[in-house]
Amino acid sequence: MFCGIGPFAVRAALQGCIVHANDLNPSSHKWCKENMKMNVPEHLQANVACYNQDARDFVRCRVRALQEDPQVGRRVHIVANLPASAPEFMDAFANIFSKGAWSGGLPTMHLYAFSRSAEGARDEVLARASAALGFDIRPETASCREVRLVAPGKLMVCVSFSLPQEILC
């Protein structure tokens, strides 16, 4: 959703994933495309698309395409790497599928966010995401890992969980 210059997108492409990388910043978008050209072998570049859209518009656009895709059952991972505000963008996923339109496994969200400390980070990030969604994401369904200490009292974490069917439809 917020790929920047594409470090996660390049890595996923190198592993053979189909990648849809988005960033609102035109310079980031430009350099993401350049990084894909420079770092992803030509035979894998057909699996990569870069977008320059608002994250919410990007999610809605990709969902429409997924619903029309005959391979919709494949695994979907969403990386939201904008730690200052990614949890607030979770509202983009509320009711995006029509009932019965999603036949695959539930999409996995990898939500990057800042927390004050490792203790309670998962619950803190899930509370912010749940508030944006208007739906409580159960803490026992999520895992949390520390990414790095950005500054004293500012820890970056990644909280991963499956997006519940009740949210998507």
Side-chain angles (χ1 to χ4, degrees), residues 11-156:
R11 179 112 168 112
L14 290 172
Q15 292 181 6
C17 297
I18 296 172
V19 176
H20 296 275
N22 178 68
D23 203 279
L24 181 61
N25 181 318
S27 293
S28 293
H29 174 251
K30 173 190 167 198
W31 288 108
C32 182
K33 291 193 316 187
E34 190 62 31
N35 273 333
M36 291 296 181
K37 286 180 203 168
M38 290 183 348
N39 297 301
V40 177
E42 196 171 316
H43 73 280
L44 294 174
Q45 288 189 13
N47 292 341
V48 176
C50 297
Y51 304 84
N52 181 213
Q53 296 178 306
D54 170 80
R56 288 179 179 93
D57 293 339
F58 169 73
V59 167
R60 288 182 201 108
C61 173
R62 293 307 320 140
V63 164
R64 277 197 292 298
L66 274 173
Q67 290 183 113
E68 297 166 6
D69 188 337
Q71 298 180 33
V72 76
R74 68 176 164 258
R75 291 184 61 193
V76 174
H77 288 264
I78 303 155
V79 178
N81 184 26
L82 186 63
S85 61
E88 285 73 32
F89 279 84
M90 289 299 297
D91 64 331
F93 295 96
N95 301 312
I96 56 173
F97 287 113
S98 304
K99 291 272 188 221
W102 183 258
S103 61
L106 296 172
T108 302
M109 172 63 68
H110 305 282
L111 188 61
Y112 286 78
F114 292 130
S115 178
R116 287 178 216 92
S117 71
E119 188 175 315
R122 179 191 66 185
D123 294 344
E124 178 187 337
V125 172
L126 288 179
R128 289 172 55 202
S130 294
L133 273 171
F135 180 90
D136 284 335
I137 302 165
R138 295 190 335 247
E140 62 273 9
T141 66
S143 65
C144 181
R145 68 177 176 83
E146 294 180 29
V147 177
R148 66 186 174 106
L149 188 62
V150 177
K154 191 171 189 178
L155 177 68
M156 185 190 304

